Amino acid sequence: MPARRMSTRKIKDVLRLRHELKLEQRQIARSCSLSVSTVHEYLKRAAAANVGWPLPDGWDDARLEAALFPLSDAPPRSTTRKSPPDFAAAHEQLQRHRHVTLQLLWEEYRDANQDGYGYSRYCELYQRWRKKLDVVLRQEHKAGEKAFVDWAGTTMPIHDRESGDVWQASLFIAALGASSYTWAEVTRDQQMESWLLAHIHALEHWGGVPRLLVPDNTRTGVSKACRYDPDVNPTYQNFAAHYGFGVLPARPYKPRDKAVVENAVQVAQRWILAALRHRKFFSLTEANHSIGELLHRLNHRPFRKRDGSRASVFEALDKPALQPLPQERFEIAEWVRARVNIDYHVAFDGNFYSVPYNLVQQLVEIRATVTTIEILHQSVRVASHVRSRGREKVITNREHRPKSHQAHLEWPPSRMVQWAETIGPHTAQLFERILADKPHPEMGYRGCLGIIRLAKKYSNARLEAAAERALLTGACRYRSIASILKNSLDRQPLPCTPGKRLAPPARHDNIRGSEYFD
């Protein structure tokens, strides 16, 4: 009796060769790749069951097997039947409580079923049951429909010629679904600019755009990962809109959603990074040149289990189905959210940019390109500035200020002195004294503005007289002028020349005019 029963197809061949071609047992054994003892056993059983060739009408494989191997030949089965475990409930307990183990579940099962399975058999049956749960859907990719992108876990060392420092470059992988045609390059980092530039290079290498891109849940692609409603990064969303493809992020912790690129990452790490492990690179350009040579070889490598290569399938399937590239490259921009400060400026990259003052405390979006800063509120652009590359710089548009702030800033020192000259020379000299006595002219603005307001309450003649008295007494302050006018001291004779006012000061080169304060 053979240790392993042959298929009924083999048994039929044995019967046919014996009864139809009249071959000997050794000849039959060589023809069917069986041992002579096995052929002898099958012919013996056929003779005992009175089975010849051709088989009687209506006989199928089951009828033939039942005739040759009756139930009396089967090994006796145990009359005692074990209590079947409830593996569905056990699996639910393992998923719900992280501290529950199979050992604990088996002990509970044996407490309830004294005739139950032993621990090793229980674990074996559970693992066999669990494998039936983990079925895999075979994905069929249409030509030009999907491309899969991801960062490889392995990095490539790049050496600095001058300092000798070594930094790790990230490997970006993109693969088309139908052909698995692959693009690979190393980037300086995994930030947004590197992420988008790698996409652009892949699309331009393919010469077209797929309808969907499937990224992992990296922060550069997905702002907030969610199984059902992921939030795509705004910059990545604008990039997709520019090239006309949709973004379909893979589910978190579901690598099978992007099995194509997972396989491409593994292949690239083995056939590119591993092949370059003895090379020493000093720039990204040098490294990507070598990667390009190996990538060409990889894409043209023949498949093992089917005809063609990645490149040939790409030319036949994916390339004709890709959408055309847009006329212009995407302008890479960084998107961030910021809240407008009380000085109607937003902070970005160490500098401050103005927005209309009525947006104070509002949440806005900043779109930053290499040359421009755009600020949007509810998807409407409210401000645009030339990007500053310095630090702690304030870039302000005058129109963004409220009217009161504009008016305040329109009063430079020279304008205040010029206004004072319309009142009289003593008032102008008083303003010059006030502004000159301060460490910075702006510190005297409030005092001058206060004196200007006094002109609305008192006449120009009285203010001029009060200024003359203040200059003689050295009381050149707003409070002193207000006190002189309030107590009508400006109408009294000056202390140095009773009954006679001083003549206006002489004009010559040594006296500073209003233009001095500009």
Side-chain angles (χ1 to χ4, degrees), residues 452-494:
I452 291 174
R453 291 180 63 88
L454 291 175
K456 297 179 180 180
K457 184 177 181 180
Y458 304 98
S459 65
N460 288 352
R462 293 194 60 187
L463 184 57
E464 176 69 8
E468 182 181 5
R469 177 176 289 272
L471 289 170
L472 287 174
T473 60
C476 299
R477 298 178 57 193
Y478 162 76
R479 290 185 179 182
S480 300
I481 300 298
S483 178
I484 290 173
L485 292 172
K486 181 179 180 180
N487 296 303
S488 301
L489 297 179
D490 57 294
R491 294 176 176 174
Q492 297 181 8
L494 293 174

Coordinates of all heavy atoms in Angstrom, one line a residue, residues 452-494:
I452 N -1.0 120.6 18.9 CA -1.8 120.8 17.7 C -3.3 120.8 18.1 O -4.1 121.6 17.6 CB -1.5 119.8 16.6 CG1 -0.1 120.0 16.1 CG2 -2.5 119.8 15.5 CD1 0.4 118.9 15.1
R453 N -3.7 119.9 19.0 CA -5.1 119.8 19.4 C -5.5 121.1 20.1 O -6.7 121.5 20.1 CB -5.3 118.6 20.2 CG -5.3 117.3 19.4 CD -5.5 116.1 20.3 NE -6.9 116.2 20.9 CZ -8.0 115.6 20.3 NH1 -7.8 115.0 19.1 NH2 -9.1 115.7 20.8
L454 N -4.5 121.7 20.9 CA -4.9 122.9 21.6 C -5.2 124.1 20.6 O -6.0 125.0 21.0 CB -3.7 123.4 22.5 CG -3.4 122.4 23.7 CD1 -2.1 122.9 24.4 CD2 -4.5 122.4 24.7
A455 N -4.7 124.0 19.4 CA -5.0 125.1 18.4 C -6.5 125.1 18.1 O -7.0 126.1 17.6 CB -4.1 124.9 17.2
K456 N -7.1 123.9 18.2 CA -8.6 123.9 17.9 C -9.4 124.6 19.0 O -10.5 125.0 18.7 CB -9.0 122.4 17.8 CG -8.3 121.7 16.6 CD -8.8 120.2 16.5 CE -8.1 119.5 15.4 NZ -8.5 118.1 15.3
K457 N -8.9 124.6 20.2 CA -9.6 125.2 21.3 C -9.3 126.7 21.5 O -10.1 127.5 21.9 CB -9.3 124.5 22.6 CG -10.1 124.9 23.8 CD -9.7 124.0 25.0 CE -10.5 124.4 26.3 NZ -10.2 123.6 27.4
Y458 N -8.0 127.1 21.3 CA -7.6 128.5 21.4 C -7.2 129.0 20.1 O -7.0 128.3 19.1 CB -6.4 128.5 22.4 CG -6.7 127.9 23.8 CD1 -6.3 126.6 24.1 CD2 -7.4 128.7 24.7 CE1 -6.6 126.0 25.3 CE2 -7.6 128.1 26.0 CZ -7.2 126.8 26.2 OH -7.5 126.2 27.5
S459 N -7.1 130.3 20.0 CA -6.7 130.9 18.7 C -5.2 130.8 18.4 O -4.4 130.4 19.3 CB -7.1 132.4 18.8 OG -6.2 133.1 19.7
N460 N -4.9 131.0 17.1 CA -3.5 130.9 16.7 C -2.6 131.9 17.4 O -1.5 131.6 17.8 CB -3.4 131.1 15.2 CG -3.9 129.8 14.4 OD1 -4.2 128.8 15.0 ND2 -4.0 130.0 13.1
A461 N -3.2 133.1 17.6 CA -2.4 134.2 18.3 C -2.1 133.8 19.7 O -0.9 134.0 20.2 CB -3.2 135.5 18.2
R462 N -3.0 133.2 20.4 CA -2.8 132.8 21.8 C -1.8 131.7 21.9 O -0.9 131.7 22.7 CB -4.1 132.4 22.5 CG -5.1 133.5 22.7 CD -6.1 133.1 23.7 NE -5.6 132.8 25.0 CZ -6.3 132.3 26.0 NH1 -7.6 132.0 25.8 NH2 -5.7 132.0 27.1
L463 N -1.9 130.7 20.9 CA -0.9 129.6 20.9 C 0.5 130.1 20.6 O 1.5 129.7 21.2 CB -1.3 128.5 19.9 CG -0.5 127.3 19.8 CD1 -0.4 126.6 21.2 CD2 -1.0 126.3 18.8
E464 N 0.6 131.1 19.7 CA 1.9 131.6 19.4 C 2.5 132.4 20.6 O 3.7 132.2 20.9 CB 1.8 132.6 18.2 CG 3.0 133.3 17.8 CD 4.1 132.4 17.2 OE1 3.8 131.2 16.9 OE2 5.3 132.9 17.0
A465 N 1.6 133.1 21.3 CA 2.1 133.8 22.5 C 2.5 132.8 23.6 O 3.5 133.0 24.3 CB 1.0 134.7 23.0
A466 N 1.8 131.7 23.7 CA 2.1 130.7 24.7 C 3.4 130.0 24.4 O 4.3 129.7 25.3 CB 1.0 129.7 24.8
A467 N 3.7 129.8 23.1 CA 4.9 129.2 22.7 C 6.1 130.1 23.0 O 7.2 129.7 23.4 CB 4.9 128.9 21.2
E468 N 5.9 131.5 22.7 CA 7.0 132.4 23.0 C 7.3 132.4 24.5 O 8.5 132.4 24.9 CB 6.5 133.8 22.6 CG 7.6 134.9 22.8 CD 7.1 136.2 22.3 OE1 5.9 136.4 22.0 OE2 7.9 137.2 22.4
R469 N 6.3 132.4 25.4 CA 6.5 132.4 26.8 C 7.2 131.1 27.2 O 8.1 131.1 28.1 CB 5.2 132.6 27.6 CG 5.3 132.5 29.1 CD 4.0 132.8 29.7 NE 3.6 134.2 29.6 CZ 4.0 135.2 30.4 NH1 4.7 134.9 31.5 NH2 3.6 136.4 30.2
A470 N 6.8 130.0 26.6 CA 7.4 128.7 27.0 C 8.9 128.6 26.6 O 9.8 128.1 27.3 CB 6.7 127.5 26.3
L471 N 9.3 129.3 25.5 CA 10.6 129.3 25.0 C 11.5 130.1 26.0 O 12.6 129.8 26.3 CB 10.8 129.8 23.6 CG 10.2 128.9 22.5 CD1 10.2 129.6 21.2 CD2 11.1 127.6 22.4
L472 N 10.9 131.3 26.5 CA 11.7 132.1 27.4 C 11.9 131.5 28.7 O 13.0 131.6 29.3 CB 11.0 133.5 27.5 CG 11.1 134.4 26.3 CD1 10.2 135.6 26.5 CD2 12.5 134.8 26.1
T473 N 10.9 130.8 29.2 CA 11.0 130.1 30.5 C 11.6 128.7 30.5 O 11.8 128.2 31.6 CB 9.6 130.1 31.2 OG1 8.7 129.3 30.3 CG2 9.0 131.5 31.3
G474 N 11.7 128.1 29.3 CA 12.3 126.8 29.2 C 11.2 125.7 29.5 O 11.6 124.5 29.7
A475 N 10.0 126.1 29.6 CA 8.9 125.1 29.9 C 8.4 124.6 28.6 O 7.2 124.8 28.2 CB 7.8 125.7 30.7
C476 N 9.2 123.8 27.8 CA 8.8 123.4 26.5 C 8.2 122.0 26.6 O 8.7 121.0 26.1 CB 10.0 123.4 25.6 SG 10.8 125.0 25.3
R477 N 7.0 121.9 27.1 CA 6.3 120.6 27.3 C 4.8 120.9 27.0 O 4.3 122.0 27.1 CB 6.4 120.0 28.6 CG 7.8 119.6 29.0 CD 7.9 119.1 30.4 NE 7.0 117.9 30.6 CZ 6.6 117.4 31.8 NH1 7.1 118.0 32.9 NH2 5.8 116.4 31.8
Y478 N 4.1 119.9 26.6 CA 2.7 120.0 26.3 C 1.9 120.5 27.6 O 1.1 121.5 27.5 CB 2.1 118.7 25.9 CG 0.6 118.6 26.0 CD1 -0.2 119.3 25.0 CD2 -0.1 118.0 27.0 CE1 -1.6 119.3 25.1 CE2 -1.4 117.9 27.1 CZ -2.2 118.6 26.2 OH -3.6 118.6 26.3
R479 N 2.2 120.0 28.7 CA 1.5 120.4 29.9 C 1.7 121.9 30.3 O 0.8 122.6 30.7 CB 2.0 119.5 31.1 CG 1.5 118.1 31.0 CD 1.8 117.3 32.3 NE 1.3 115.9 32.2 CZ 1.5 115.1 33.2 NH1 2.1 115.4 34.3 NH2 1.0 113.8 33.1
S480 N 3.0 122.3 30.0 CA 3.3 123.7 30.3 C 2.5 124.6 29.3 O 1.9 125.7 29.8 CB 4.8 124.0 30.1 OG 5.5 123.2 31.0
I481 N 2.4 124.3 28.0 CA 1.6 125.1 27.1 C 0.1 125.1 27.5 O -0.5 126.1 27.5 CB 1.8 124.5 25.7 CG1 3.3 124.6 25.3 CG2 1.0 125.3 24.7 CD1 3.9 126.0 25.2
A482 N -0.4 123.9 27.8 CA -1.8 123.8 28.2 C -2.1 124.7 29.5 O -3.1 125.3 29.6 CB -2.2 122.3 28.5
S483 N -1.1 124.6 30.4 CA -1.3 125.5 31.7 C -1.3 126.9 31.3 O -2.1 127.7 31.9 CB -0.2 125.1 32.7 OG -0.3 125.9 33.8
I484 N -0.4 127.4 30.5 CA -0.3 128.8 30.1 C -1.6 129.3 29.5 O -2.1 130.3 29.8 CB 0.9 129.0 29.1 CG1 2.2 128.8 29.9 CG2 0.9 130.4 28.5 CD1 3.4 128.8 29.0
L485 N -2.1 128.5 28.6 CA -3.4 128.9 27.9 C -4.5 128.8 28.9 O -5.4 129.7 28.8 CB -3.6 127.9 26.7 CG -2.6 128.1 25.5 CD1 -2.8 127.0 24.5 CD2 -2.8 129.4 24.9
K486 N -4.6 127.8 29.7 CA -5.7 127.7 30.6 C -5.8 128.8 31.6 O -6.8 129.3 32.0 CB -5.6 126.3 31.4 CG -6.7 126.1 32.4 CD -6.6 124.7 33.0 CE -7.7 124.5 34.0 NZ -7.5 123.2 34.7
N487 N -4.6 129.3 32.1 CA -4.5 130.3 33.1 C -4.4 131.7 32.4 O -4.1 132.7 33.1 CB -3.4 130.1 34.1 CG -3.6 128.8 34.9 OD1 -4.6 128.7 35.5 ND2 -2.7 127.9 34.8
S488 N -4.4 131.7 31.1 CA -4.3 133.0 30.3 C -3.0 133.7 30.6 O -2.9 135.0 30.6 CB -5.5 133.9 30.7 OG -6.8 133.3 30.4
L489 N -2.0 133.0 30.9 CA -0.7 133.6 31.1 C -0.1 134.2 29.8 O 0.8 135.0 29.8 CB 0.3 132.6 31.7 CG -0.1 132.0 33.0 CD1 1.0 131.0 33.5 CD2 -0.1 133.2 34.1
D490 N -0.6 133.7 28.7 CA -0.1 134.2 27.4 C -0.5 135.6 27.1 O 0.1 136.3 26.3 CB -0.7 133.3 26.2 CG -2.2 133.2 26.2 OD1 -2.8 132.7 27.2 OD2 -2.8 133.8 25.3
R491 N -1.5 136.1 27.9 CA -2.0 137.5 27.7 C -1.3 138.5 28.6 O -1.5 139.7 28.6 CB -3.5 137.6 28.0 CG -4.3 136.8 27.0 CD -5.8 136.8 27.3 NE -6.6 136.1 26.3 CZ -7.9 135.8 26.4 NH1 -8.5 136.2 27.5 NH2 -8.5 135.2 25.4
Q492 N -0.5 137.9 29.5 CA 0.3 138.8 30.4 C 1.6 139.2 29.8 O 2.1 138.4 28.9 CB 0.5 138.1 31.8 CG -0.8 137.8 32.5 CD -0.5 137.1 33.8 OE1 0.7 137.0 34.3 NE2 -1.6 136.6 34.5
P493 N 2.2 140.3 30.2 CA 3.5 140.7 29.6 C 4.6 139.7 30.0 O 4.6 139.1 31.0 CB 3.8 142.1 30.3 CG 2.5 142.5 30.8 CD 1.7 141.3 31.2
L494 N 5.5 139.6 29.1 CA 6.6 138.7 29.3 C 7.5 139.2 30.4 O 7.7 140.4 30.6 CB 7.5 138.5 28.0 CG 6.7 137.8 26.9 CD1 7.6 137.9 25.6 CD2 6.4 136.4 27.2

